Amino acid sequence: MPTVTPKPNGAKAPSTLVDILVSENILTSVNADKIKLQEVQTGKSQEEIIKSQGLVKPDQLARAFATLYNIPFVDLNQIPTSPEALNMVPQSVASRFKVFPTLLDRDKGEVQLAMSNPLDLGATEFIEQLTKLRVRPLAATLSQVEDMINQRYSVGLAQEVTAAIKEAAPTDNTNTVDLSKLDQVIREAPIARIVKELLTFAVKSRASDIHIEPEEKGTRVRYRIDGILQEKFTMPRSFHDSLISRIKILGGMKIDERRIPQDGRFNFKSAAEEVDLRVSSLPTVHGEKIVMRLLKKSGGVPKLIELGLRGRALKNLEDSILRPHGIIIICGPTGSGKTTTLYSVLSKINTPKVNIMTLEDPVEYQIAGVNQVQINPAAGLTFASGLRSFLRQDPNVIMVGEIRDAETSELAIQASLTGHLVFSTLHTNNASGVLPRLLDMGAEPFLLASTMTCVVAQRVVRTIHEDCKIEYEPDATVIAEMKQNLGALWSEKDGEPIKLYKGKGDPECGNTGYKGRMGIYEVMPITEKIARLVSEKSPAADIEKVARDEGMVTMKQDGYLKALEGLTTVEEVLRVAQE
């Protein structure tokens, strides 16, 4: 939340709304003088004149208004919902006065209100009498306040959780947990309803993870949607222990053990679909934190073309997986979609005539007809020991979740040399870095050069929400950067301006402008020239240069091409693919 910056000594502070807008280079001095003249001639306020002429964006005007009256400005899209605060101000009151409650602080005896008109003393007095709390006003745009009232009061998450909190609220302010009755408390309807609504909202919003995090005075709930963590709402601290215990019971974890991390798993079926949840608990200074990973059981594994692979990159990968033996590596950081790509590849070659065996940590999706094994280091089942056992199971295709050490890389090479097709992943930034990394692990250069078939590097970008997509003309610097990076891949029509696209943001996409994700890829087949460089232990830069000369499209180039097509934004490409 921005603070008002004091003016340096001797500088005159802006005294009117237009003065602030001029000082922030939003209005020109000429327009400011015209507005002041109209103010004198018509008797209208500067704010009314600016709005009628559309000279300034609503959020810029609201910020300037907040600066003028020294009131904090809040962007309601960037803050979580507090069901407890919503419970204090009914929807009818919020709609009548155009206010939205953002936070309830019982210690200070105040409720924070985002107001389209923070100077409305009538609204402030009414809500103070209603809630018996002091109102702390925050400035916000009218459109955001109205959107939040429509969304948060009507959305099942806030509505149901608010109702459950109201139902379960203690009659006094004491927070005593009777351990002997804890089992009964966590099975009570309000706590069960809160967990149900948390999970239902996650499924509806296409979240991949739910974070339930204890803080000193509350519990915050965050969802990872399209790869980005978003804080959706906060809850009173008094509910935290029973909420965590309820989830631990569902996941088959010990509720009386709070000193060490635990893992669990359970299924959840909503009206929309069924999901498998992996639960992880971790003790923190304020209590146990829970992270739940959601894995959809319905919908199946996407095809390679649906992931974003296309053109020469798709053909090179498809040619590689049709070979009877060799090693194919998928690389990228955690969360870059490597496992999904591997599952898509396995689904493509999965037939009754092929014996496919996988060694994973953990098994995320179950594929019919594939023998999937989860490693268990405590029992001695590691990637290396499992891979050694696999070779006695007459496999055609082996998938090893990750090459982590010299022993696993050596076994993968041996499996390939004895006529098996081996898939695995590695944590490197780009395709050319995989080969030097395997050499560093102790792989023999001549064996690596003869067994490696293809390397795929990937990242995941958010896609633009089609329903709110708009086009714009980018800055010259952005065009120059794209031209330089794309090189011969760049094409433009003479006389026509370059257009890029972005999402304006609407309630359906959570005002982010993005909905869904896709991959950007670089696929490097191991040609004779590249194999020679591997044998000579050449650095990654030399390998990448040869690969590009032979037609490899890099991840950044693939991202820029998809941005030009209106599938994603330049900002997304730079976020994930900038070196």
Side-chain angles (χ1 to χ4, degrees), residues 109-130:
E110 70 176 26
V111 60
Q112 288 185 7
L113 275 190
M115 307 177 70
S116 59
N117 179 12
L119 302 183
D120 186 349
L121 296 178
T124 303
E125 288 175 7
F126 183 90
I127 292 168
E128 284 185 339
Q129 289 180 0
L130 175 73

Side-chain angles (χ1 to χ4, degrees), residues 430-446:
N430 51 30
S432 58
V434 166
L435 302 165
R437 175 69 62 83
L438 290 171
L439 291 172
D440 289 342
M441 284 185 182
E444 290 291 345
F446 68 95

Side-chain angles (χ1 to χ4, degrees), residues 350-371:
N350 183 19
T351 68
K353 296 178 182 179
V354 179
N355 180 18
I356 301 175
M357 305 196 67
T358 75
L359 196 57
E360 305 173 56
D361 180 23
V363 174
E364 292 192 8
Y365 297 98
Q366 294 177 12
I367 308 173
V370 176
N371 304 287

Side-chain angles (χ1 to χ4, degrees), residues 71-270:
I71 298 169
F73 177 84
V74 63
D75 182 349
L76 292 178
N77 290 325
Q78 302 300 320
I79 62 168
T81 301
S82 167
E84 206 179 13
L86 288 181
N87 189 39
M88 299 303 296
V89 182
Q91 184 174 1
S92 56
V93 175
S95 300
R96 175 183 163 192
F97 292 113
K98 305 299 180 194
V99 300
F100 182 76
T102 61
L103 184 67
L104 175 66
D105 191 331
R106 292 194 182 276
D107 292 343
K108 293 182 180 177
E110 70 176 26
V111 60
Q112 288 185 7
L113 275 190
M115 307 177 70
S116 59
N117 179 12
L119 302 183
D120 186 349
L121 296 178
T124 303
E125 288 175 7
F126 183 90
I127 292 168
E128 284 185 339
Q129 289 180 0
L130 175 73
T131 62
K132 303 294 188 287
L133 297 166
R134 187 172 67 255
V135 165
R136 184 180 174 221
L138 308 171
T141 62
L142 176 60
S143 61
Q144 278 198 353
V145 169
E146 289 177 335
D147 284 348
M148 284 296 161
I149 292 170
N150 293 331
Q151 286 177 46
R152 298 298 190 229
Y153 277 102
S154 59
V155 165
L157 174 73
Q159 192 178 37
E160 292 295 330
V161 172
T162 302
I165 284 176
K166 188 176 182 180
E167 187 179 327
T171 52
D172 56 31
N173 290 329
T174 57
N175 178 24
T176 305
V177 178
D178 185 348
L179 291 177
S180 63
K181 297 180 181 178
L182 183 62
D183 196 48
Q184 178 188 341
V185 169
I186 61 182
R187 283 186 168 84
E188 287 177 356
I191 299 300
R193 275 171 59 196
I194 290 173
V195 174
K196 179 189 171 188
E197 292 307 322
L198 288 176
L199 298 175
T200 302
F201 182 82
V203 173
K204 283 181 183 175
S205 59
R206 314 177 325 280
S208 61
D209 300 86
I210 309 171
H211 293 237
I212 302 172
E213 302 169 324
E215 295 180 323
E216 189 176 357
K217 294 184 179 179
T219 296
R220 71 173 179 175
V221 181
R222 297 194 289 173
Y223 292 84
R224 190 175 292 281
I225 302 171
D226 293 334
I228 305 295
L229 268 178
Q230 299 178 22
E231 190 172 348
K232 287 298 181 183
F233 67 95
T234 58
M235 294 173 60
R237 185 69 177 83
S238 55
F239 289 91
H240 184 80
D241 290 340
S242 46
L243 181 66
I244 295 299
S245 295
R246 172 68 181 169
I247 293 168
K248 286 171 77 173
I249 278 186
L250 290 171
M253 301 150 76
K254 296 178 181 177
I255 62 169
D256 57 343
E257 179 56 81
R258 303 180 182 186
R259 300 164 300 168
I260 58 172
Q262 293 186 66
D263 293 308
R265 196 166 192 161
F266 68 94
N267 289 344
F268 173 74
K269 193 170 185 178
S270 70

Side-chain angles (χ1 to χ4, degrees), residues 472-484:
Y472 69 98
E473 289 186 28
D475 293 338
T477 52
V478 174
I479 296 173
E481 150 73 13
M482 292 179 75
K483 274 186 182 179
Q484 182 184 355

Side-chain angles (χ1 to χ4, degrees), residues 323-327 387-398 409-422 447 450-452:
R323 293 188 184 182
H325 54 82
I327 300 175
L387 186 50
R388 197 176 283 110
S389 301
F390 273 17
L391 296 175
R392 296 191 289 272
Q393 289 283 324
D394 187 30
N396 299 103
V397 178
I398 297 171
S409 70
E410 185 182 341
L411 286 166
I413 290 170
Q414 291 301 323
S416 170
L417 287 170
T418 52
H420 303 91
L421 184 58
V422 181
L447 290 178
S450 60
T451 55
M452 287 296 298

